[in-house]
């Protein structure tokens, strides 16, 4: 009997250890460098509980985060929404010591950096600047240091909505599944800009043969994602509260559907923001801010089209960014205005969401990334 109990204790210990190797990285509009800006939590993958492990101060408005493919480095858009400023910063994360330490920063090449992505080889960092509508490209050293930018592309043209589209506003940067193209939704110009990525070159980005895909005038394309099967892509439009579905092949996007992220009751004030697909490719999730403050849930058909299957309140105000862990079990939403983080458990069959654990309060929380580490 004692032997059985001992075996059960060992099994429980290993299970508990396994459930504690997933970390959640949260950025914020802290507004004050003397206060915490980046927060790191452990996610218990058994029950969805978040436990704080470390924070970082002395950085201003680390509004968006991304993680290197090997998980060693965290990159942040810093000095976001700061007049005549803007930078990108690098940090080293040690999952065993549970530490996050600053490495260095570089100027963002434009005001208000809002989105970062890293090439799968870990050698290139791409930054999107919103206010001045530009793209910056940085080499990354082996120690995680961001080297000075080697390319900067500036855009000017606007579109239909004179209040929001007075000029170009690049809102995200997303690699194609094969990392041979980059896509940049331009909210100000109603275009999804496309660049070829030749990662062995000293200046890797070149304008693609098809330099952009037009979206509906006044739509304001914001964030972009690819289906796991690499055959489809989806763009969420902030101003019209819609998702555009595309067939994808070799840098070319072909529109196949346009669908509302909101219910028929909602007539304006959409403010749609983020978009992600479950790892199994069965469901697409799209967040709405404004007066809705929810996540729209869509079933993805075999032909890439979407069908709405429900909505889930984010239980807070202004769900700017959310993320799904690599197992597909949890979705974590950040409500930047109400300042809270909410963990939801996904139903693998229906795609619906259910809150688990307690809300985490973080002033101005604006971004979330989830990464599982080997023990």
């Amino acid at each position: 009997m004692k032997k059985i109990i001992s075996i059960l204790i060992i099994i429980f210990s290993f299970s508990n250890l396994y459930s504690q190797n997933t970390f959640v990285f949260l950025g914020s509009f802290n507004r004050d460098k003397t206060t915490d800006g980046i927060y790191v939590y452990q996610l218990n993958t058994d029950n969805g509980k978040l436990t704080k492990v470390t924070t970082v101060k002395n950085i201003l408005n680390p509004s968006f985060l991304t993680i290197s493919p090997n998980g060693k480095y965290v990159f942040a858009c810093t000095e976001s929404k700061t007049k005549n400023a803007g930078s990108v910063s690098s940090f080293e994360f040690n999952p065993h010591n549970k530490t996050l330490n600053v490495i260095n920063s570089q100027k963002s090449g434009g005001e208000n950096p809002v989105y970062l992505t890293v090439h799968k080889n870990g050698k290139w960092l791409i930054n999107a600047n919103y206010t001045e509508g530009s793209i910056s490209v940085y080499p990354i050293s082996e120690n995680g240091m961001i080297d000075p930018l080697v390319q900067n592309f500036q855009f000017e043209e606007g579109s239909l909505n004179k209040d929001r589209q007075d000029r170009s506003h690049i809102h995200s940067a997303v690699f194609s599944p094969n990392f041979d193209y980059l896509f940049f939704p331009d909210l100000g110009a109603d275009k999804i800009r496309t660049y070829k990525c030749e990662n062995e070159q000293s200046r890797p980005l070149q304008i693609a043969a098809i330099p952009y895909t037009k979206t509906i005038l006044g739509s304001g394309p914001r964030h972009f994602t690819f289906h796991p099967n690499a055959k489809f892509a989806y763009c969420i439009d902030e101003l019209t509260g819609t998702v555009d579905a595309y067939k994808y092949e070799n840098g070319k996007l072909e529109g196949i559907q346009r669908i509302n992220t909101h219910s028929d009751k909602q007539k304006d004030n959409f403010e749609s923001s983020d978009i992600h697909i479950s790892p199994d490719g069965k469901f697409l999730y799209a967040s709405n801010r404004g007066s809705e403050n929810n996540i729209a849930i869509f079933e993805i058909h075999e032909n890439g089209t979407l069908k709405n299957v429900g909505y889930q309140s984010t239980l807070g105000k202004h769900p700017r960014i959310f993320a799904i862990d690599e197992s597909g079990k949890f979705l974590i939403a950040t409500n930047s205005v109400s300042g809270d983080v909410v963990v939801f458990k996904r139903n693998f069959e229906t795609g619906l969401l259910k809150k688990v654990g307690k809300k985490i309060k973080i002033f101005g929380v604006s971004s979330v990334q989830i990464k599982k580490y080997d023990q």
Side-chain angles (χ1 to χ4, degrees), residues 110-241:
E111 193 172 307
N112 195 12
V114 293
Y115 201 104
L116 290 168
T117 191
V118 183
H119 192 277
K120 66 178 180 180
N121 64 14
K123 296 180 180 180
W124 294 107
L125 179 70
I126 315 297
N127 169 56
N129 296 302
Y130 178 81
T131 300
E132 294 180 0
S134 65
I135 299 163
S136 299
V137 181
Y138 306 83
I140 303 172
S141 298
E142 290 185 3
N143 61 1
M145 182 173 289
I146 305 172
D147 292 334
L149 66 86
V150 295
Q151 289 180 289
N152 181 255
F153 302 92
Q154 300 277 340
F155 308 99
E156 294 183 358
E157 73 267 36
S159 189
L160 190 65
N161 186 326
K162 298 306 177 184
D163 291 330
R164 295 295 312 280
Q165 297 178 307
D166 57 318
R167 58 162 301 152
S168 172
H169 297 302
I170 306 296
H171 216 307
S172 57
V174 179
F175 276 103
S176 63
N178 291 332
F179 286 81
D180 52 352
Y181 288 91
L182 265 160
F183 293 85
F184 301 93
D186 187 337
L187 184 148
D190 287 323
K191 293 178 178 179
I192 303 172
R193 302 185 184 276
T194 310
Y195 280 76
K196 190 82 171 65
C197 181
E198 299 176 356
N199 72 85
E200 298 301 324
Q201 302 297 319
S202 60
R203 295 170 177 262
L205 294 196
Q206 307 297 328
I207 297 176
I210 302 175
Y212 58 82
T213 300
K214 291 183 179 180
T215 65
I216 298 296
L217 290 179
S219 60
R222 179 184 172 99
H223 283 187
F224 190 77
T225 192
F226 283 93
H227 193 280
N229 67 13
K231 296 179 181 179
F232 307 109
Y234 303 86
C235 185
I236 189 165
D237 305 314
E238 177 174 340
L239 303 182
T240 53

Side-chain angles (χ1 to χ4, degrees), residues 19 60 66 102 119 133 157 161 165 171 188 199 237 260 264 303 334 341 350 354 365:
S19 69
L60 183 63
T66 196
V102 64
H119 192 277
E157 73 267 36
N161 186 326
Q165 297 178 307
H171 216 307
N199 72 85
D237 305 314
N260 290 337
D264 293 338
N303 65 358
T334 61
V341 181
T350 66
K354 181 180 180 181
V365 64

